[in-house]
Amino acid sequence: MAMDSYARPGASAFEIQKLLRDAIAIAVEGRRLIVGTATLTAVIALLALRMIEPSYTATLIVGPTVADGLLGRGTPLPDLPAGSILDGAAHGAGEKMSYYERFLYEMTSLNVANELASSPEIMRRVFEAMWDAKNESWNPDPGLFPRMRRMLSDLAGRKSWAAPDGRDLARFLRSRVQVQQIGNTPLRRIVYRHADPEFARLLLNRLYATTERQLRSIAVKGNALMIEEYQKMARTTSDLEHKRALWATLIGHEQFSMMMNVDLPLAADLMEAASCDVLPDTPDPAIVMPIAFAAGLVLGLVLVFIRVTTETLPRFATHP
């Protein structure tokens, strides 16, 4: 019994070594098929790369404005008890949203998209497949999946297509514009890829300018209303302490109003304007070709072992 227990591990190791030697022998014997499959896969990948239109990556870097002062102060939401629910979302007490946080959200929001949708040069390039430049009109997307979707909608008796608008642009921006944090800093890298580098830069610059302008407009209007309200309250109150507190608050809003006349960013500093590399970077042949060749090697090995298996099985069937 003891001899058997010591012999089994040695036997299993010998069997594994034999299997490895047999596998290597089979691979060496079928090396032509393996190399041929890898080469064919690499050639197919190369042809696919020549057919795919390369794209350029445009990047724009933004950062928060000064942490202190009028332009950098956060806009508080209404103070709520911790754990309370507003519009279905749980909030803590005294939550604040800075102008910078609002900027990052509003950049791909419907409000910004609606303003950009009024620019024909933006809409016609984003939804280029649906724009008929010859007739200067919008047509349904000729792609396979859009056509299938329209067909199913027609069968269900629903409206199957409409010209692209701000909502479509907002969905496009949320899916194609990426916001990446740079390390552990508050800086954000905004990335967009397109076949035309000029348009990629144009879209990111327009996104930044439109979002900043809308937030500034909202801040100016809200501040003007607050000034009007505080002035009205200061005129009607008779309590001196109350009047003094109102005037102190009013001075702060008036200072904010004066700062809005200065041509400085309110929500996000433009650290680097949109830029692209001279050469396209997607898809990258230096990455695609090695992966395709390695996949071809694996596929070739699988084909060799399948061939050996199919040749071996009939022998076992005829010679039990």
Side-chain angles (χ1 to χ4, degrees):
M1 294 294 291
M3 294 293 293
D4 292 342
S5 63
Y6 284 111
R8 286 173 185 170
S12 62
F14 176 77
E15 291 174 358
I16 292 174
Q17 292 177 0
K18 185 177 182 300
L19 287 174
L20 289 175
R21 286 197 300 267
D22 292 342
I24 293 173
I26 292 172
V28 171
E29 185 179 354
R31 61 186 180 277
R32 292 183 178 178
L33 178 59
I34 295 173
V35 174
T37 304
T39 303
L40 179 61
T41 306
V43 170
I44 293 174
L46 181 61
L47 293 175
L49 285 173
R50 294 181 67 89
M51 296 174 61
I52 297 174
E53 187 177 26
S55 62
Y56 298 78
T57 301
T59 59
L60 180 146
I61 298 179
V62 296
T65 52
V66 292
D68 299 313
L70 294 172
L71 293 180
R73 69 181 183 182
T75 302
L77 295 173
D79 289 339
L80 300 172
S84 63
I85 296 179
L86 179 65
D87 294 334
H91 292 267
E95 288 184 350
K96 290 186 177 182
M97 178 180 289
S98 68
Y99 286 122
Y100 185 55
E101 291 170 330
R102 290 188 177 189
F103 175 89
L104 296 175
Y105 167 77
E106 289 287 338
M107 190 175 54
T108 55
S109 67
L110 181 59
N111 292 331
V112 172
N114 280 333
E115 183 172 340
L116 289 177
S118 62
S119 302
E121 67 273 16
I122 297 291
M123 296 296 287
R124 292 172 185 177
R125 294 304 303 275
V126 169
F127 303 103
E128 194 169 2
M130 289 187 282
W131 175 249
D132 185 356
K134 183 178 180 180
N135 298 319
E136 294 190 352
S137 61
W138 292 103
N139 293 320
D141 191 335
L144 177 61
F145 289 106
R147 278 189 293 175
M148 292 179 61
R149 185 174 184 178
R150 290 195 302 272
M151 182 183 66
L152 294 175
S153 297
D154 290 335
L155 291 175
R158 297 182 179 180
K159 186 177 179 180
S160 60
W161 179 80
D165 56 9
R167 292 185 179 276
D168 297 309
L169 182 59
R171 284 191 288 267
F172 174 86
L173 294 175
R174 294 188 189 110
S175 64
R176 298 291 296 276
V177 176
Q178 302 175 9
V179 179
Q180 305 168 350
Q181 184 174 5
I182 301 178
N184 294 324
T185 69
L187 300 179
R188 296 294 187 274
R189 180 187 296 108
I190 303 170
V191 179
Y192 173 65
R193 294 182 177 88
H194 195 269
D196 183 0
E198 293 295 331
F199 176 72
R201 288 193 290 265
L202 171 67
L203 181 62
L204 288 187
N205 286 328
R206 287 281 189 90
L207 271 178
Y208 171 80
T210 303
T211 306
E212 179 71 26
R213 183 171 56 251
Q214 286 196 3
L215 289 176
R216 178 181 287 270
S217 176
I218 293 172
V220 168
K221 291 179 181 177
N223 191 64
L225 290 175
M226 292 301 295
I227 289 176
E228 182 180 349
E229 186 64 25
Y230 278 117
Q231 287 176 342
K232 185 187 301 182
M233 293 171 63
R235 288 193 299 266
T236 57
T237 186
S238 57
D239 185 271
L240 292 179
E241 291 296 327
H242 192 195
K243 188 184 290 289
R244 189 178 295 111
L246 288 172
W247 280 112
T249 306
L250 180 61
I251 290 173
H253 283 281
E254 288 178 341
Q255 289 175 338
F256 184 87
S257 179
M258 288 187 293
M259 291 297 293
M260 287 297 95
N261 295 325
V262 180
D263 189 17
L264 290 174
L266 169 69
D269 276 327
L270 183 61
M271 312 302 292
E272 291 183 14
S275 61
C276 283
D277 289 335
V278 178
L279 300 177
D281 55 2
T282 306
D284 189 354
I287 296 177
V288 174
M289 295 298 294
I291 292 176
F293 189 80
L297 289 176
V298 175
L299 178 60
L301 283 170
V302 172
L303 292 176
V304 167
F305 283 104
I306 290 176
R307 185 181 66 180
V308 172
T309 303
T310 54
E311 292 175 354
T312 305
L313 286 178
R315 297 178 186 174
F316 285 106
T318 55
H319 303 285

